[in-house]
Amino acid sequence: MPRRSRRLPPGVRRWGTEPVVVPLEEIAQRIAGPAGAIGEAGFEGRYVRGTKRYLCPYCQGWILPDAVHVVAFPAGLPEERRHYHSGCWAKVGRRGLPGG
């Protein structure tokens, strides 16, 4: 007769202290970084995690749902926002282009 697995479910410890519970918002903030932290010349932006699919104006590739990416817009014009891959936005910033 085969042995049953003795593994415990994730987050359950057999010995020691209770696991540390960290709120989901805090984990998301650690991953995404501070809001408004992106500031290229004349642009505002932030790291976000979207629920839709977006087209990156730099590489013309898709940003899939639940992927952390950059939303950037000209200062004071949030209706002109564009969604970029994080790496693509870094390339836009290095080249000094306004992007998309």
Side-chain angles (χ1 to χ4, degrees):
M1 178 181 288
R3 275 177 77 173
R4 296 182 117 191
S5 173
R6 293 185 180 161
R7 291 185 182 176
L8 297 174
V12 177
R13 296 182 184 190
R14 190 176 298 196
W15 282 254
T17 61
E18 292 292 317
V20 177
V21 178
V22 180
L24 183 60
E25 293 80 18
E26 184 178 334
I27 294 170
Q29 184 64 28
R30 288 181 191 173
I31 293 170
I38 304 165
E40 296 297 328
F43 281 83
E44 297 177 27
R46 64 185 58 204
Y47 289 97
V48 297
R49 180 180 302 242
T51 57
K52 297 183 348 184
R53 187 172 75 155
Y54 299 100
L55 187 64
C56 175
Y58 184 82
C59 71
Q60 300 301 309
W62 289 107
I63 301 169
L64 299 177
D66 211 30
V68 176
H69 61 281
V70 174
V71 174
F73 52 90
L77 296 171
E79 62 276 357
E80 296 291 324
R81 67 187 175 274
R82 298 291 179 261
H83 298 255
Y84 292 84
H85 293 105
S86 300
C88 292
W89 180 251
K91 291 176 188 174
V92 168
R94 280 197 301 266
R95 294 185 181 176
L97 301 173

